[in-house]
Amino acid sequence: MTLHEPLGLIDAARELRGFQTEPAQMRAGAPGKVGRLRLGFSLRDGRSVLHDLYRVAPLLVQQALYWDEAMPELPVCPIISVGGGILQGDRYTIDIAVGEGACAHVSTQGANRIHCMDANYASQHQTVTVAAGGYLEYLPDFTIPYRGSRFLSRTDLVVAADATLLYGEMVLAGRKHHHVEERFGFDLLSMDVSLRRPGGHKLFAEKILIEKGDPTIAFAAVMRGFDAFANILCVTPPETAARIKERFEPHFPIEAPRALSGVSSLPNAAGLMLRAVGVETYDVRHEVRRFWRIVREEARDRSLPAEPYWR
């Protein structure tokens, strides 16, 4: 398995045309600013293992852990960033592959902080592949874009028809408790995701684009009254998706809601999407966890362990 080279395609994105100046400190994409991570999971003697690991700082995974008491066969890999956050000119590439019949859980050690920028931008390209009968939970922590930051994320999902992928994107509007101008004070946040089958058949694509000064952010049907949101994709066979959707209860309280959430079907019978908005990150996490538990129970006949006290 080889790491993809997406930087040219990302540089050509229309929304980045105004952010091409080189940083004064270190040029964009210089050594030390290109983080690369490759994870490969497969079945070995009936057990899912991390058989392939390649890493270039500031991205790091140390080893697979098996601490999930509700699903002890699940290798768990937290992605560690030794750089303290994403800086201007950073270019990250992440490849995750789950082989036939294998399972895995990939997360991050904490929030993905996008620091303030006065030149250029930061980008991340992810390719996630789940082979026949595979199961992957890829649930990074919140992305927090600081005031003046510019960040583009592109994610390509390749999932077999009988596999299950739970993939999440969670975003906080900024360091809302740090300064009033931090809330949606970033210059650019561009996040797109596409889904296809291993043979190339395209099933779904979506893009979230928030540019500085966009008035639609304050609309009642968008983010008015809320500072955190999540888009969680569950790519799974139609019969599994139907059971999940039947069990998940939308959350739409009428008075003073802390969070709102609901599930909709993806195009081409590809699965489901959970959308949730909340006042704080923990309000959104609660809705994500409700959905996550049902997905795991229906897809793998396992539940979730008790919620960690620090969440």
Side-chain angles (χ1 to χ4, degrees):
M1 183 172 62
T2 59
L3 284 166
H4 295 74
E5 297 291 346
L7 299 183
L9 293 175
I10 288 178
D11 288 338
R14 177 201 61 80
E15 59 266 33
L16 295 177
R17 292 175 184 171
F19 306 116
Q20 297 295 328
T21 55
E22 286 290 347
Q25 301 84 358
M26 182 184 292
R27 67 175 177 82
K33 298 188 71 64
V34 179
R36 300 182 184 274
L37 180 64
R38 185 181 68 219
L39 303 175
F41 300 89
S42 64
L43 275 178
R44 296 280 178 88
D45 299 324
R47 184 191 191 197
S48 294
V49 299
L50 176 64
H51 76 275
D52 182 32
L53 172 59
Y54 176 79
R55 59 211 176 186
V56 175
L59 296 178
L60 174 67
V61 164
Q62 294 176 316
Q63 63 179 16
L65 307 172
Y66 294 85
W67 54 258
D68 192 321
E69 296 180 352
M71 196 170 175
E73 72 274 21
L74 183 74
V76 177
C77 288
I79 298 174
I80 300 169
S81 174
V82 299
I86 294 181
L87 307 177
Q88 59 191 21
D90 282 359
R91 306 289 189 263
Y92 287 3
T93 302
I94 299 174
D95 281 359
I96 303 172
V98 175
E100 186 172 345
C103 63
H105 174 94
V106 180
S107 60
T108 55
Q109 67 177 135
N112 184 24
R113 296 168 176 83
I114 317 297
H115 287 274
C116 301
M117 302 178 185
D118 57 21
N120 212 260
Y121 62 93
S123 67
Q124 174 176 276
H125 186 273
Q126 304 180 113
T127 300
V128 180
T129 304
V130 187
Y135 177 82
L136 172 64
E137 299 170 348
Y138 183 24
L139 296 171
D141 206 336
F142 271 86
T143 294
I144 306 177
Y146 291 11
R147 180 173 27 162
S149 63
R150 306 93 178 249
F151 182 61
L152 184 146
S153 173
R154 176 167 293 165
T155 303
D156 297 319
L157 309 176
V158 184
V159 183
D162 63 347
T164 294
L165 166 65
L166 186 66
Y167 169 71
E169 293 176 346
M170 302 190 295
V171 177
L172 182 64
R175 295 177 294 174
K176 56 177 288 186
H177 299 295
H178 175 70
H179 191 282
V180 65
E181 294 181 4
E182 285 283 336
R183 185 179 185 273
F184 291 106
F186 48 85
D187 291 341
L188 173 71
L189 178 65
S190 178
M191 308 176 74
D192 70 68
V193 58
S194 64
L195 170 65
R196 61 181 173 87
R197 295 300 185 202
H201 178 58
K202 296 181 179 180
L203 299 176
F204 168 79
E206 182 185 58
K207 183 170 184 175
I208 296 174
L209 177 60
I210 306 174
E211 297 176 292
K212 190 171 185 178
D214 185 349
T216 64
I217 288 295
F219 285 7
V222 188
M223 293 298 294
R224 181 186 296 177
F226 301 104
D227 294 324
F229 69 87
N231 288 340
I232 310 295
L233 296 178
C234 175
V235 183
T236 196
E239 59 273 15
T240 305
R243 296 195 303 269
I244 296 169
K245 189 174 184 180
E246 183 177 359
R247 288 184 57 189
F248 186 83
E249 296 183 6
H251 184 67
F252 288 99
I254 297 176
E255 295 184 4
R258 295 284 310 180
L260 303 174
S261 69
V263 167
S264 58
S265 297
L266 293 176
N268 298 304
L272 303 170
M273 173 182 280
L274 168 75
R275 292 190 186 274
V277 294
V279 177
E280 300 286 355
T281 57
Y282 52 79
D283 298 308
V284 172
R285 288 186 203 276
H286 178 75
E287 298 306 306
V288 172
R289 189 173 175 84
R290 284 203 305 127
F291 184 63
W292 178 12
R293 175 182 292 109
I294 296 172
V295 169
R296 186 186 281 194
E297 290 174 350
E298 294 298 336
R300 300 295 286 192
D301 196 26
R302 297 286 192 274
S303 191
L304 294 181
E307 187 170 11
Y309 72 89
W310 59 86
R311 290 300 188 188

Short mmCIF file of all heavy atoms in Angstrom, two decimals, residues 139 166-170 204 206 208 229-235 244-245 248-252 260-266 271-277 283-295:
data_model
loop_
_atom_site.label_atom_id
_atom_site.label_comp_id
_atom_site.label_asym_id
_atom_site.label_seq_id
_atom_site.Cartn_x
_atom_site.Cartn_y
_atom_site.Cartn_z
N LEU A 139 -13.22 7.89 14.12
CA LEU A 139 -13.91 8.98 14.79
C LEU A 139 -12.91 9.95 15.41
O LEU A 139 -12.65 9.91 16.63
CB LEU A 139 -14.85 8.41 15.87
CG LEU A 139 -15.99 7.52 15.36
CD1 LEU A 139 -16.71 6.85 16.52
CD2 LEU A 139 -16.96 8.33 14.51
N LEU A 166 -17.88 3.61 10.03
CA LEU A 166 -18.43 4.73 10.79
C LEU A 166 -17.37 5.82 10.78
O LEU A 166 -16.31 5.67 11.40
CB LEU A 166 -18.76 4.30 12.22
CG LEU A 166 -19.48 5.34 13.09
CD1 LEU A 166 -20.87 5.64 12.54
CD2 LEU A 166 -19.57 4.87 14.54
N TYR A 167 -17.64 6.90 10.06
CA TYR A 167 -16.66 7.98 9.89
C TYR A 167 -17.28 9.29 10.36
O TYR A 167 -18.41 9.62 10.00
CB TYR A 167 -16.23 8.10 8.44
CG TYR A 167 -15.42 9.37 8.18
CD1 TYR A 167 -14.13 9.50 8.67
CD2 TYR A 167 -15.98 10.44 7.49
CE1 TYR A 167 -13.40 10.67 8.46
CE2 TYR A 167 -15.26 11.61 7.27
CZ TYR A 167 -13.97 11.72 7.76
OH TYR A 167 -13.26 12.87 7.57
N GLY A 168 -16.52 10.05 11.15
CA GLY A 168 -17.07 11.26 11.71
C GLY A 168 -16.25 12.51 11.48
O GLY A 168 -15.02 12.47 11.46
N GLU A 169 -16.94 13.62 11.31
CA GLU A 169 -16.34 14.95 11.30
C GLU A 169 -17.08 15.80 12.32
O GLU A 169 -18.30 15.98 12.21
CB GLU A 169 -16.41 15.58 9.91
CG GLU A 169 -15.57 14.86 8.86
CD GLU A 169 -15.73 15.46 7.47
OE1 GLU A 169 -16.70 16.24 7.28
OE2 GLU A 169 -14.92 15.16 6.59
N MET A 170 -16.36 16.30 13.32
CA MET A 170 -16.95 17.14 14.34
C MET A 170 -16.17 18.46 14.40
O MET A 170 -14.93 18.45 14.37
CB MET A 170 -16.94 16.46 15.70
CG MET A 170 -17.66 15.12 15.74
SD MET A 170 -17.88 14.45 17.42
CE MET A 170 -16.18 14.16 17.90
N PHE A 204 -21.61 8.85 -3.33
CA PHE A 204 -22.00 9.99 -2.52
C PHE A 204 -20.84 10.97 -2.44
O PHE A 204 -19.68 10.57 -2.42
CB PHE A 204 -22.36 9.49 -1.11
CG PHE A 204 -22.49 10.56 -0.06
CD1 PHE A 204 -23.63 11.33 0.02
CD2 PHE A 204 -21.47 10.78 0.86
CE1 PHE A 204 -23.75 12.31 1.00
CE2 PHE A 204 -21.57 11.75 1.83
CZ PHE A 204 -22.73 12.52 1.91
N GLU A 206 -20.07 15.10 -0.59
CA GLU A 206 -20.59 16.27 0.11
C GLU A 206 -19.44 17.20 0.44
O GLU A 206 -18.31 16.75 0.68
CB GLU A 206 -21.30 15.87 1.41
CG GLU A 206 -21.90 17.08 2.13
CD GLU A 206 -22.50 16.72 3.47
OE1 GLU A 206 -21.78 16.19 4.33
OE2 GLU A 206 -23.71 16.99 3.66
N ILE A 208 -18.55 20.82 2.78
CA ILE A 208 -18.88 21.91 3.69
C ILE A 208 -17.85 23.01 3.46
O ILE A 208 -16.65 22.77 3.57
CB ILE A 208 -18.84 21.45 5.15
CG1 ILE A 208 -19.92 20.40 5.41
CG2 ILE A 208 -19.02 22.64 6.10
CD1 ILE A 208 -19.85 19.79 6.79
N PHE A 229 -20.90 21.20 15.73
CA PHE A 229 -21.71 20.34 14.86
C PHE A 229 -20.94 19.08 14.50
O PHE A 229 -19.70 19.02 14.60
CB PHE A 229 -22.17 21.08 13.60
CG PHE A 229 -21.10 21.40 12.60
CD1 PHE A 229 -20.72 20.49 11.62
CD2 PHE A 229 -20.48 22.64 12.62
CE1 PHE A 229 -19.73 20.80 10.70
CE2 PHE A 229 -19.49 22.97 11.70
CZ PHE A 229 -19.12 22.04 10.73
N ALA A 230 -21.67 18.08 14.07
CA ALA A 230 -21.08 16.80 13.66
C ALA A 230 -21.82 16.24 12.47
O ALA A 230 -23.06 16.30 12.40
CB ALA A 230 -21.13 15.80 14.82
N ASN A 231 -21.06 15.71 11.52
CA ASN A 231 -21.58 14.89 10.43
C ASN A 231 -20.95 13.51 10.58
O ASN A 231 -19.73 13.37 10.47
CB ASN A 231 -21.21 15.47 9.06
CG ASN A 231 -21.99 16.73 8.74
OD1 ASN A 231 -23.03 16.99 9.32
ND2 ASN A 231 -21.47 17.51 7.82
N ILE A 232 -21.75 12.51 10.84
CA ILE A 232 -21.26 11.15 11.05
C ILE A 232 -21.85 10.25 9.98
O ILE A 232 -23.07 10.08 9.90
CB ILE A 232 -21.62 10.61 12.45
CG1 ILE A 232 -21.24 11.62 13.54
CG2 ILE A 232 -20.95 9.26 12.68
CD1 ILE A 232 -19.76 11.88 13.68
N LEU A 233 -20.98 9.66 9.16
CA LEU A 233 -21.42 8.75 8.12
C LEU A 233 -21.36 7.31 8.61
O LEU A 233 -20.35 6.89 9.20
CB LEU A 233 -20.53 8.88 6.88
CG LEU A 233 -20.52 10.21 6.14
CD1 LEU A 233 -19.54 10.13 4.97
CD2 LEU A 233 -21.91 10.55 5.63
N CYS A 234 -22.41 6.56 8.36
CA CYS A 234 -22.41 5.12 8.59
C CYS A 234 -22.66 4.46 7.24
O CYS A 234 -23.79 4.41 6.75
CB CYS A 234 -23.48 4.72 9.59
SG CYS A 234 -23.62 2.92 9.78
N VAL A 235 -21.57 3.98 6.64
CA VAL A 235 -21.67 3.27 5.36
C VAL A 235 -21.83 1.79 5.70
O VAL A 235 -20.93 1.18 6.29
CB VAL A 235 -20.41 3.50 4.51
CG1 VAL A 235 -20.55 2.80 3.16
CG2 VAL A 235 -20.16 4.99 4.32
N ILE A 244 -30.71 0.31 12.06
CA ILE A 244 -30.15 1.44 12.81
C ILE A 244 -31.11 2.62 12.79
O ILE A 244 -31.38 3.25 13.83
CB ILE A 244 -28.79 1.85 12.22
CG1 ILE A 244 -27.77 0.71 12.40
CG2 ILE A 244 -28.28 3.13 12.86
CD1 ILE A 244 -26.49 0.92 11.61
N LYS A 245 -31.63 2.93 11.62
CA LYS A 245 -32.53 4.08 11.49
C LYS A 245 -33.81 3.88 12.29
O LYS A 245 -34.34 4.83 12.89
CB LYS A 245 -32.86 4.30 10.01
CG LYS A 245 -33.61 5.60 9.74
CD LYS A 245 -33.78 5.83 8.26
CE LYS A 245 -34.44 7.18 7.99
NZ LYS A 245 -34.62 7.41 6.52
N PHE A 248 -32.80 4.58 16.09
CA PHE A 248 -32.31 5.89 16.52
C PHE A 248 -33.47 6.89 16.58
O PHE A 248 -34.18 7.12 15.60
CB PHE A 248 -31.24 6.42 15.57
CG PHE A 248 -30.62 7.72 16.04
CD1 PHE A 248 -29.58 7.71 16.96
CD2 PHE A 248 -31.09 8.94 15.59
CE1 PHE A 248 -29.01 8.89 17.42
CE2 PHE A 248 -30.53 10.12 16.03
CZ PHE A 248 -29.49 10.10 16.95
N GLU A 249 -33.63 7.52 17.73
CA GLU A 249 -34.70 8.50 17.93
C GLU A 249 -34.14 9.90 17.72
O GLU A 249 -33.21 10.31 18.42
CB GLU A 249 -35.27 8.38 19.34
CG GLU A 249 -35.96 7.05 19.62
CD GLU A 249 -36.57 7.01 21.01
OE1 GLU A 249 -36.55 8.06 21.70
OE2 GLU A 249 -37.08 5.95 21.40
N PRO A 250 -34.69 10.66 16.77
CA PRO A 250 -34.23 12.05 16.58
C PRO A 250 -34.42 12.85 17.87
O PRO A 250 -35.33 12.58 18.66
CB PRO A 250 -35.14 12.57 15.46
CG PRO A 250 -35.64 11.33 14.78
CD PRO A 250 -35.75 10.28 15.83
N HIS A 251 -33.56 13.83 18.04
CA HIS A 251 -33.60 14.65 19.25
C HIS A 251 -33.91 16.08 18.85
O HIS A 251 -33.06 16.81 18.32
CB HIS A 251 -32.24 14.58 19.97
CG HIS A 251 -32.21 15.32 21.27
ND1 HIS A 251 -32.94 14.94 22.38
CD2 HIS A 251 -31.53 16.44 21.65
CE1 HIS A 251 -32.72 15.77 23.38
NE2 HIS A 251 -31.88 16.69 22.96
N PHE A 252 -35.18 16.49 19.07
CA PHE A 252 -35.62 17.84 18.70
C PHE A 252 -36.47 18.44 19.82
O PHE A 252 -37.68 18.60 19.68
CB PHE A 252 -36.42 17.82 17.40
CG PHE A 252 -35.61 17.57 16.17
CD1 PHE A 252 -35.55 16.30 15.61
CD2 PHE A 252 -34.87 18.59 15.58
CE1 PHE A 252 -34.78 16.07 14.47
CE2 PHE A 252 -34.11 18.37 14.45
CZ PHE A 252 -34.06 17.09 13.90
N LEU A 260 -29.53 19.29 18.87
CA LEU A 260 -30.51 18.75 17.92
C LEU A 260 -29.81 17.69 17.10
O LEU A 260 -28.64 17.83 16.75
CB LEU A 260 -31.05 19.84 16.99
CG LEU A 260 -31.70 21.08 17.64
CD1 LEU A 260 -32.02 22.11 16.56
CD2 LEU A 260 -32.97 20.68 18.40
N SER A 261 -30.52 16.62 16.77
CA SER A 261 -29.91 15.58 15.95
C SER A 261 -30.96 14.80 15.18
O SER A 261 -32.12 14.72 15.60
CB SER A 261 -29.08 14.61 16.82
OG SER A 261 -29.93 13.85 17.65
N GLY A 262 -30.54 14.23 14.07
CA GLY A 262 -31.42 13.39 13.27
C GLY A 262 -30.61 12.59 12.28
O GLY A 262 -29.45 12.90 12.00
N VAL A 263 -31.20 11.55 11.76
CA VAL A 263 -30.55 10.64 10.83
C VAL A 263 -31.29 10.65 9.51
O VAL A 263 -32.52 10.65 9.46
CB VAL A 263 -30.51 9.20 11.41
CG1 VAL A 263 -30.12 8.19 10.35
CG2 VAL A 263 -29.54 9.13 12.57
N SER A 264 -30.54 10.67 8.42
CA SER A 264 -31.12 10.59 7.08
C SER A 264 -30.38 9.54 6.27
O SER A 264 -29.27 9.13 6.62
CB SER A 264 -31.03 11.95 6.37
OG SER A 264 -29.69 12.38 6.29
N SER A 265 -31.00 9.09 5.19
CA SER A 265 -30.42 8.05 4.35
C SER A 265 -29.47 8.67 3.33
O SER A 265 -29.73 9.74 2.78
CB SER A 265 -31.52 7.28 3.62
OG SER A 265 -32.35 6.60 4.54
N LEU A 266 -28.36 7.99 3.08
CA LEU A 266 -27.43 8.40 2.04
C LEU A 266 -27.95 7.97 0.66
O LEU A 266 -28.73 7.01 0.56
CB LEU A 266 -26.05 7.78 2.28
CG LEU A 266 -25.29 8.25 3.52
CD1 LEU A 266 -23.98 7.47 3.67
CD2 LEU A 266 -25.00 9.74 3.46
N GLY A 271 -26.09 3.93 3.05
CA GLY A 271 -26.06 3.93 4.50
C GLY A 271 -26.80 5.12 5.06
O GLY A 271 -27.81 5.56 4.51
N LEU A 272 -26.27 5.69 6.14
CA LEU A 272 -26.95 6.74 6.88
C LEU A 272 -25.98 7.88 7.21
O LEU A 272 -24.77 7.69 7.23
CB LEU A 272 -27.52 6.21 8.19
CG LEU A 272 -28.49 5.04 8.11
CD1 LEU A 272 -28.75 4.48 9.51
CD2 LEU A 272 -29.80 5.46 7.46
N MET A 273 -26.56 9.05 7.50
CA MET A 273 -25.79 10.17 8.02
C MET A 273 -26.49 10.74 9.25
O MET A 273 -27.69 11.02 9.21
CB MET A 273 -25.61 11.28 6.99
CG MET A 273 -24.95 12.55 7.58
SD MET A 273 -24.78 13.89 6.40
CE MET A 273 -23.32 13.35 5.52
N LEU A 274 -25.72 10.88 10.31
CA LEU A 274 -26.19 11.58 11.49
C LEU A 274 -25.72 13.02 11.41
O LEU A 274 -24.53 13.29 11.19
CB LEU A 274 -25.64 10.95 12.77
CG LEU A 274 -25.83 11.76 14.05
CD1 LEU A 274 -27.27 11.70 14.53
CD2 LEU A 274 -24.88 11.31 15.16
N ARG A 275 -26.63 13.95 11.59
CA ARG A 275 -26.27 15.36 11.72
C ARG A 275 -26.69 15.81 13.12
O ARG A 275 -27.82 15.56 13.54
CB ARG A 275 -26.96 16.22 10.67
CG ARG A 275 -26.49 15.97 9.25
CD ARG A 275 -27.05 17.03 8.32
NE ARG A 275 -26.76 16.78 6.92
CZ ARG A 275 -25.66 17.16 6.30
NH1 ARG A 275 -24.72 17.78 6.97
NH2 ARG A 275 -25.49 16.90 5.02
N ALA A 276 -25.77 16.49 13.79
CA ALA A 276 -26.05 16.98 15.13
C ALA A 276 -25.43 18.35 15.32
O ALA A 276 -24.32 18.61 14.84
CB ALA A 276 -25.51 16.01 16.18
N VAL A 277 -26.13 19.22 16.01
CA VAL A 277 -25.60 20.52 16.42
C VAL A 277 -25.81 20.66 17.91
O VAL A 277 -26.76 20.09 18.49
CB VAL A 277 -26.26 21.69 15.67
CG1 VAL A 277 -25.93 21.66 14.19
CG2 VAL A 277 -27.79 21.70 15.87
N ASP A 283 -22.40 18.30 24.31
CA ASP A 283 -23.77 18.10 23.84
C ASP A 283 -23.80 17.31 22.54
O ASP A 283 -24.63 16.42 22.35
CB ASP A 283 -24.46 19.46 23.64
CG ASP A 283 -24.56 20.26 24.92
OD1 ASP A 283 -25.05 19.72 25.93
OD2 ASP A 283 -24.13 21.44 24.91
N VAL A 284 -22.87 17.63 21.64
CA VAL A 284 -22.79 16.91 20.37
C VAL A 284 -22.25 15.51 20.59
O VAL A 284 -22.72 14.54 19.98
CB VAL A 284 -21.93 17.70 19.37
CG1 VAL A 284 -21.66 16.88 18.11
CG2 VAL A 284 -22.63 19.01 19.00
N ARG A 285 -21.24 15.37 21.44
CA ARG A 285 -20.69 14.03 21.72
C ARG A 285 -21.78 13.06 22.18
O ARG A 285 -21.77 11.87 21.83
CB ARG A 285 -19.61 14.12 22.80
CG ARG A 285 -18.32 14.75 22.39
CD ARG A 285 -17.33 14.61 23.54
NE ARG A 285 -16.28 15.60 23.48
CZ ARG A 285 -15.17 15.49 22.75
NH1 ARG A 285 -15.02 14.42 22.00
NH2 ARG A 285 -14.24 16.42 22.76
N HIS A 286 -22.68 13.55 23.00
CA HIS A 286 -23.74 12.69 23.52
C HIS A 286 -24.58 12.13 22.37
O HIS A 286 -24.92 10.94 22.37
CB HIS A 286 -24.62 13.47 24.49
CG HIS A 286 -25.77 12.68 25.04
ND1 HIS A 286 -25.63 11.70 25.98
CD2 HIS A 286 -27.10 12.72 24.73
CE1 HIS A 286 -26.80 11.17 26.26
NE2 HIS A 286 -27.72 11.77 25.52
N GLU A 287 -24.94 12.98 21.40
CA GLU A 287 -25.74 12.51 20.27
C GLU A 287 -24.94 11.55 19.39
O GLU A 287 -25.48 10.55 18.90
CB GLU A 287 -26.23 13.70 19.46
CG GLU A 287 -27.13 14.66 20.22
CD GLU A 287 -28.31 13.94 20.86
OE1 GLU A 287 -29.04 13.24 20.13
OE2 GLU A 287 -28.49 14.06 22.10
N VAL A 288 -23.66 11.84 19.19
CA VAL A 288 -22.82 10.95 18.41
C VAL A 288 -22.70 9.59 19.08
O VAL A 288 -22.79 8.54 18.41
CB VAL A 288 -21.43 11.57 18.19
CG1 VAL A 288 -20.48 10.55 17.55
CG2 VAL A 288 -21.53 12.82 17.33
N ARG A 289 -22.55 9.59 20.38
CA ARG A 289 -22.40 8.33 21.09
C ARG A 289 -23.69 7.50 21.04
O ARG A 289 -23.63 6.26 20.95
CB ARG A 289 -21.99 8.61 22.54
CG ARG A 289 -21.59 7.35 23.30
CD ARG A 289 -21.03 7.69 24.67
NE ARG A 289 -20.76 6.49 25.44
CZ ARG A 289 -19.64 5.77 25.34
NH1 ARG A 289 -18.69 6.15 24.50
NH2 ARG A 289 -19.46 4.69 26.06
N ARG A 290 -24.84 8.15 21.08
CA ARG A 290 -26.10 7.41 20.95
C ARG A 290 -26.14 6.66 19.61
O ARG A 290 -26.53 5.48 19.55
CB ARG A 290 -27.29 8.37 21.02
CG ARG A 290 -27.65 8.87 22.37
CD ARG A 290 -29.11 9.32 22.44
NE ARG A 290 -29.47 10.31 21.43
CZ ARG A 290 -30.50 10.19 20.60
NH1 ARG A 290 -31.25 9.10 20.60
NH2 ARG A 290 -30.79 11.15 19.74
N PHE A 291 -25.74 7.36 18.56
CA PHE A 291 -25.74 6.76 17.23
C PHE A 291 -24.67 5.67 17.12
O PHE A 291 -24.94 4.58 16.60
CB PHE A 291 -25.49 7.86 16.20
CG PHE A 291 -25.56 7.41 14.77
CD1 PHE A 291 -26.73 6.91 14.22
CD2 PHE A 291 -24.44 7.51 13.95
CE1 PHE A 291 -26.79 6.52 12.90
CE2 PHE A 291 -24.49 7.12 12.63
CZ PHE A 291 -25.66 6.62 12.10
N TRP A 292 -23.50 5.96 17.62
CA TRP A 292 -22.37 5.02 17.58
C TRP A 292 -22.73 3.69 18.24
O TRP A 292 -22.44 2.62 17.71
CB TRP A 292 -21.18 5.69 18.25
CG TRP A 292 -19.92 4.89 18.36
CD1 TRP A 292 -19.61 3.70 17.75
CD2 TRP A 292 -18.79 5.23 19.17
NE1 TRP A 292 -18.36 3.29 18.13
CE2 TRP A 292 -17.84 4.20 18.99
CE3 TRP A 292 -18.50 6.30 20.02
CZ2 TRP A 292 -16.60 4.22 19.65
CZ3 TRP A 292 -17.27 6.32 20.66
CH2 TRP A 292 -16.34 5.30 20.47
N ARG A 293 -23.38 3.75 19.40
CA ARG A 293 -23.74 2.53 20.12
C ARG A 293 -24.67 1.65 19.27
O ARG A 293 -24.48 0.43 19.17
CB ARG A 293 -24.42 2.87 21.44
CG ARG A 293 -24.92 1.62 22.18
CD ARG A 293 -25.64 1.95 23.47
NE ARG A 293 -24.73 2.48 24.46
CZ ARG A 293 -24.71 3.73 24.87
NH1 ARG A 293 -25.55 4.61 24.33
NH2 ARG A 293 -23.85 4.15 25.78
N ILE A 294 -25.67 2.27 18.65
CA ILE A 294 -26.62 1.50 17.84
C ILE A 294 -25.92 0.90 16.62
O ILE A 294 -26.16 -0.26 16.26
CB ILE A 294 -27.79 2.41 17.42
CG1 ILE A 294 -28.58 2.86 18.65
CG2 ILE A 294 -28.71 1.68 16.44
CD1 ILE A 294 -29.63 3.90 18.35
N VAL A 295 -25.03 1.68 15.99
CA VAL A 295 -24.30 1.17 14.82
C VAL A 295 -23.50 -0.07 15.20
O VAL A 295 -23.56 -1.10 14.51
CB VAL A 295 -23.37 2.25 14.24
CG1 VAL A 295 -22.42 1.65 13.20
CG2 VAL A 295 -24.18 3.37 13.61
#
